[in-house]
């Protein structure tokens, strides 16, 4: 069981960042669902919930999701469901239950860069960015590859770009962690194929995506699926073997591309 | 640290530890309908409502509910009695251990979803695990509960 010596509801991001770096055991509190499963002894817990960072908004070119927005907000947001074929909502809807998703935050989910993350896989296939308090705005792909450093994830920014997208996951039971998660998108003429829960964290199959034209033929799709298996590494854990995951990937990538071409 | 909150409409001013979980806070105050089933955020038994939203009290800090309104099953006794009877009539309970969290979520669902389909009901309640039943009796009971109040019943 984790422990916390002090709980502070901050009045500004500046105060939060100052506290975060004051002591190595000070920690940002998201929805707490993951944090409380550990057994670390924390010094100060920094609560961002008074900063109005739980909104989902859109501008002409972007959708912005504040770090304290919950997974349930993502699932039910009209704005989110209007874009990208509703894949962001679809990607979180199997995570445990409504009460859980009313607590878990997008900030905690993306900052942690979990291998099994559904939402990270979905966001990676879109033109997504994270805004960090210290690190500024950087592409999500770069953020995923970075080591975990102390910073505050303020919001997620997604360019609208008229993207079409499809999200698929395979689960042993409907509310379990995914055995594999795949998200495919087509923004203008270019495709992205993200594969997560490999069980390592989500990654892009860049060469596979290059094999897909605006309207790919059956052969193009087959070739892209084979390429995805060549360039992406799969591993084994309790939920499935590397071989099983690679077979799943082949099917889910094909179905994703076909969904978009429909 | 000091917090102030409303539980089932009653004001409480309490001194708590910063890492106290909401479930322990509520149980210490005598709201023992709130139960721990798994402690890993999986079973839904500890469900309470905070400012109109169903949450897992095993995973929420008591410190974070300062100035908020909490509802437990103790505050919804009339509603709970009605659903309890429907559940019993459908033979949908065995040990009954899952009931408190289950009822809290059913009541929240009724407020949130209008005329939900079977699939929507199942999806909404998928975070409430029952070890004894196959959920079908509960589904029948819930559908009857959702019908109440319609046609002046
Ligand atoms: C039982 C269980 C089942 C789950 N199943 C799934 C699943 O099937 N699919 C899936 O994708 N996910 C799953 N998850 C993960 C879950 O969806 C959340 O991603 C996870 O709980 C973290 O979100 P949180 O808001 O609870 O963060 P917390 O637990 O509060 O924080 C997690 C980490 O992020 C840091 N943090 C939080 N917010 C910020 C911020 N704004 N800036 C910087 N750092 C921050 C915290 O300091 C901490 O290190 C599961 C989790 C649990 C506990
Ligand atoms: S005790 Fe909270 S979800 Fe099981
Ligand atoms: S009736 Fe026994 S756990 Fe549900």
């Amino acid at each position: 069981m984790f422990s916390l010596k002090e709980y502070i509801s901050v009045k500004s991001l500046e105060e939060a960042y100052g506290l975060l770096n004051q002591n190595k055991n000070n920690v940002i509190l998201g929805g707490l669902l993951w944090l409380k499963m550990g057994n670390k002894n924390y010094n100060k817990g920094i609560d961002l919930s008074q900063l109005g960072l739980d909104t989902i908004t859109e501008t002409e070119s972007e959708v912005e999701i504040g770090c304290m927005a919950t997974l349930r907000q993502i699932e039910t947001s009209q704005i989110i469901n209007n874009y990208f074929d509703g894949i962001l909502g679809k990607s979180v809807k199997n995570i445990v239950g409504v009460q859980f998703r009313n607590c878990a935050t997008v900030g905690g989910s993306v900052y942690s860069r979990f291998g099994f993350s559904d939402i990270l896989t979905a966001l990676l296939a879109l033109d997504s960015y994270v805004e960090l308090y210290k690190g500024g705005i950087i592409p999500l792909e770069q953020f995923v590859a970075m080591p975990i450093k102390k910073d505050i994830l303020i919001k997620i920014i997604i360019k609208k770009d008229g993207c079409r997208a499809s999200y698929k996951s395979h689960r042993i039971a409907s509310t379990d962690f995914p055995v594999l998660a795949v998200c495919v998108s087509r923004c203008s003429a270019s495709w992205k194929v993200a594969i997560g829960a490999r069980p390592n964290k989500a990654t892009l199959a860049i060469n596979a995506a290059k094999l897909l034209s605006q309207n790919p033929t059956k052969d193009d799709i087959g070739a892209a699926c084979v390429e995805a298996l060549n360039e992406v590494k799969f591993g084994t854990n309790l939920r499935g073997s590397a071989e099983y995951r690679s077979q799943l990937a082949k099917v889910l990538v094909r179905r994703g591309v076909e969904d978009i071409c429909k | 640290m000091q917090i102030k909150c409303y539980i089932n409409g009653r004001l409480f001013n309490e001194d708590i530890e910063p890492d106290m979980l909401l479930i322990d806070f509520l149980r210490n105050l005598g709201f023992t309908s709130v139960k721990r089933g798994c402690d890993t955020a999986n079973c839904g038994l500890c469900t309470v409502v905070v400012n109109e939203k169903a949450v897992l009290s095993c995973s929420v800090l008591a410190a974070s509910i300062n100035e908020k309104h909490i509802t437990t099953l103790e505050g919804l006794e009339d509603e709970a009695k009605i659903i309890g009877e429907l559940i019993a009539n459908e033979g949908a309970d065995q040990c009954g251990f899952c009931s408190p969290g289950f009822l809290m979520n059913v009541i929240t669902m009724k407020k949130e979803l209008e005329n939900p389909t079977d699939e929507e009901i199942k999806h909404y309640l998928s975070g409430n695990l029952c070890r004894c039943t196959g959920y079908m009796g509960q589904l029948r009971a819930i559908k009857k509960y959702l019908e109440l109040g319609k046609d002046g019943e």
Side-chain angles (χ1 to χ4, degrees):
Chain A
M1 175 68 191
F2 89 118
S3 72
L4 197 63
K5 284 205 187 108
E6 211 179 318
Y7 168 92
I8 302 171
S9 180
V10 291
K11 301 280 175 299
S12 68
L13 279 169
E14 194 183 5
E15 182 190 358
Y17 188 76
L19 285 169
L20 183 62
N21 286 287
Q22 207 176 58
N23 179 315
K24 74 173 174 29
N25 289 326
N26 289 355
V27 68
I28 301 285
L29 305 172
L32 202 76
L33 291 143
W34 197 259
L35 269 180
K36 82 129 215 191
M37 301 269 283
N39 50 13
K40 279 200 185 155
N41 299 315
Y42 293 107
N43 186 41
K44 290 179 179 157
I46 305 158
D47 181 358
L48 308 176
S49 60
Q50 298 304 313
L51 303 184
L53 297 171
D54 60 348
T55 55
I56 297 173
T57 54
E58 66 175 320
T59 64
E60 211 156 279
S61 56
E62 295 165 353
V63 172
E64 294 190 354
I65 311 172
C67 64
M68 294 300 283
T70 63
L71 300 187
R72 180 73 179 156
Q73 277 176 267
I74 292 191
E75 185 184 358
T76 55
S77 158
Q78 198 58 54
I79 295 178
I80 300 252
N81 285 313
N82 278 345
Y83 296 102
F84 325 118
D85 294 285
I87 55 139
L88 290 178
K90 284 181 201 155
S91 77
V92 298
K93 79 177 182 30
N94 286 315
I95 302 180
V96 191
V98 168
Q99 310 97 304
F100 182 102
R101 298 193 294 279
N102 273 333
C103 299
T105 63
V106 72
S109 301
V110 174
Y111 172 84
S112 305
R113 287 155 271 186
F114 297 117
F116 53 74
S117 182
D118 287 289
I119 185 111
L120 196 64
T121 310
L123 285 168
L124 201 58
L126 302 176
D127 194 4
S128 307
Y129 300 78
V130 292
E131 181 174 343
L132 302 168
Y133 181 77
K134 196 70 187 164
I137 298 177
I138 57 171
L140 179 68
E141 198 183 339
Q142 186 183 331
F143 180 68
V144 170
M146 274 164 45
I148 294 194
K149 277 200 290 195
K150 275 199 169 192
D151 203 339
I152 302 170
L153 195 162
I154 302 172
K155 63 181 159 193
I156 312 283
I157 302 161
I158 314 159
K159 305 269 184 219
K160 288 181 186 164
D161 293 345
C163 297
R164 296 284 324 271
S166 169
Y167 182 81
K168 311 264 175 216
S169 72
H170 180 77
R171 295 170 131 85
I172 294 172
S174 66
T175 58
D176 193 12
F177 289 103
V179 180
L180 195 81
V182 168
C183 190
V184 179
S185 73
R186 187 182 64 196
C187 303
S188 317
S190 69
W191 290 80
K192 279 189 182 179
V193 176
I195 305 183
R198 305 175 286 125
N200 287 343
K201 63 188 169 189
T203 188
L204 289 173
I206 292 167
N207 296 333
K210 281 187 190 150
L211 295 175
L212 295 166
S213 58
Q214 176 76 11
N215 288 307
T217 61
K218 222 174 168 186
D219 286 348
D220 293 341
I221 300 173
C225 292
V226 171
E227 187 53 35
L229 304 196
N230 285 337
E231 65 177 312
V232 172
K233 278 207 174 71
F234 297 93
T236 298
N237 69 359
L238 272 178
R239 287 186 173 72
S241 64
E243 293 75 19
Y244 180 50
R245 285 193 160 91
S246 67
Q247 289 308 309
L248 282 176
K250 205 165 146 185
V251 176
L252 298 188
V253 170
R254 175 176 56 74
R255 287 186 189 164
V257 177
E258 284 173 355
D259 265 1
I260 294 173
C261 293
K262 262 180 208 159
Chain B
M1 64 183 286
Q2 199 70 27
I3 60 163
K4 170 184 150 190
C5 63
Y6 300 85
I7 306 173
N8 302 328
R10 206 174 117 203
L11 175 65
F12 285 83
N13 277 297
E14 299 295 319
D15 197 26
I16 58 159
E17 293 299 325
D19 52 6
M20 184 178 220
L21 294 169
L22 180 56
I23 186 170
D24 298 316
F25 174 72
L26 292 169
R27 287 185 62 83
N28 286 353
L29 289 173
F31 298 98
T32 49
S33 71
V34 189
K35 290 183 173 57
R36 206 175 233 112
C38 66
D39 214 14
T40 57
N42 275 294
C43 73
L45 181 53
C46 63
T47 303
V48 300
V49 173
V50 175
N51 286 2
E52 313 282 311
K53 297 258 181 271
V55 302
L56 301 174
S57 62
C58 72
S59 304
V60 170
L61 284 177
S64 71
I65 53 124
N66 193 30
E67 301 285 345
K68 293 186 179 163
H69 290 260
I70 296 98
T71 309
T72 69
L73 205 57
E74 285 85 351
L76 297 168
E77 266 178 23
D78 293 344
E79 206 80 351
K81 215 171 151 199
I82 296 168
I83 310 172
E85 261 171 36
L86 291 169
I87 283 181
N89 290 344
E90 293 298 334
D93 244 0
Q94 285 185 28
C95 75
F97 194 62
C98 61
S99 290
F102 182 72
L103 297 194
M104 288 305 295
N105 214 21
V106 169
I107 294 168
T108 318
M109 177 181 74
K110 189 174 183 182
K111 289 189 182 141
E112 197 175 324
L113 304 186
E114 216 174 299
N115 298 322
T117 60
D118 283 12
E119 280 317 302
E120 284 166 341
I121 295 172
K122 287 183 197 168
H123 180 64
Y124 199 97
L125 299 173
S126 62
N128 289 88
L129 303 186
C130 172
R131 298 296 154 104
C132 304
T133 73
Y135 300 104
M136 294 318 289
Q138 288 153 334
L139 184 62
R140 288 194 301 272
I142 294 163
K143 284 166 75 175
K144 288 195 172 150
Y145 170 63
L146 295 177
E147 286 303 312
L148 294 180
K150 287 184 186 167
D151 304 327
E153 260 183 84

